[in-house]
Amino acid sequence: MERTLMEAAVSAAAEGVERQEGGPFGAVVVREGRVIARAWNRVVRDLDPTAHAEVNAIREACRALGRFHLEDCDLVTSCEPCPMCLGAIYWARLRSVTFAAGRDDAAGVGFSDAWIYEELARPPEARTVKFSRVDPESALAVMRRWQADVARQPY
Amino acid sequence: MERTLMEAAVSAAAEGVERQEGGPFGAVVVREGRVIARAWNRVVRDLDPTAHAEVNAIREACRALGRFHLEDCDLVTSCEPCPMCLGAIYWARLRSVTFAAGRDDAAGVGFSDAWIYEELARPPEARTVKFSRVDPESALAVMRRWQADVARQPY
């Protein structure tokens, strides 16, 4: 079963490469043993740096189910998710992740996954990208207003 | 200048809260001193767990410029980016990030940012979400095929 699902993810990766739509990565979202979303990297086609296979598959699965949580779903992806996709996996509350290639394999063909993992672990002021902070009061006021709204929808 | 840009980001957050479209977060992308994208969190409206303010602003800026890198742009966001958005910032190659509220403030109003940062720093097998790995050979073959393609577009 797991192997068949991985074949679906890898074939999505191959399809994306064939179409020259982005990096060589594919993913599927599975619910009750059935693939409900299948996607590949479309960074180049969509001119969207966030259009990784996992993000695309999560968005497609949410559209298919009409909700923003996938707690009864599993993700199968041809490569270990980068930090962006890992964050998306947690926000989507996916139940499990199965991957094939690793972050070092991605680095081996020219992708920055391993480096971004290192950068994330650093405090903001120690990163390559310049991070600075301004007075948070007005932002905090909006956050508190949201928290006080009884009609708010937490996620 | 920085303060005016942050006001634009915070007003976007306020607009999203007012419309009840998602969490209380807003962001702008700035190029040559001009706001080229302004967005708020739309997770609830779009039923999309990846529709954070920063991701939305990055997507919008890329659409506006017709490219998938923003190396001449800066991001101003009402709250410290979560790991997903931080990953997106690196993939988009933004030059700098200015934020107001911090990850602990986000945790204080019920968002999991701080927890996701902790999870990311763990090796896959030690995370709350179950991670497993299968034979990477077929995935690696697609990655190598991509690397050998002279027409590929690296990003």
Side-chain angles (χ1 to χ4, degrees), chain A residues 48-52 55 82-85 116 120, chain B residues 50 52 54-56 58-59 62 68-70 75 81-94 97:
Chain A
D48 177 356
T50 73
H52 285 199
V55 165
C82 79
M84 175 182 73
C85 294
I116 299 179
L120 250 83
Chain B
T50 73
H52 284 200
E54 296 92 330
V55 165
N56 294 341
I58 288 170
R59 284 187 180 139
C62 286
F68 51 71
H69 283 151
L70 302 170
L75 182 81
C82 80
M84 175 180 73
C85 294
L86 197 52
I89 286 161
Y90 276 86
W91 288 117
R93 301 198 189 163
L94 278 152
V97 176

Side-chain angles (χ1 to χ4, degrees), chain B residues 97-152:
Chain B
V97 176
T98 305
F99 64 98
R103 65 179 81 173
D104 295 330
D105 299 317
V109 296
F111 293 92
S112 329
D113 302 43
W115 175 69
I116 299 178
Y117 269 104
E118 288 166 25
E119 285 279 304
L120 250 82
R122 297 193 176 114
E125 63 278 11
R127 294 189 187 127
T128 307
V129 172
K130 184 178 166 274
F131 275 72
S132 53
R133 196 162 177 184
V134 299
D135 171 33
E137 249 334 294
S138 61
L140 286 170
V142 176
M143 289 161 73
R144 282 188 221 108
R145 199 152 76 236
W146 178 82
Q147 200 183 20
D149 179 3
V150 290
R152 79 181 184 284

Side-chain angles (χ1 to χ4, degrees), chain B residues 38-54:
Chain B
R38 178 177 174 269
W40 51 83
N41 183 299
R42 290 195 312 256
V43 168
V44 171
R45 189 198 80 167
D46 294 352
L47 299 175
D48 178 356
T50 73
H52 284 200
E54 296 92 330

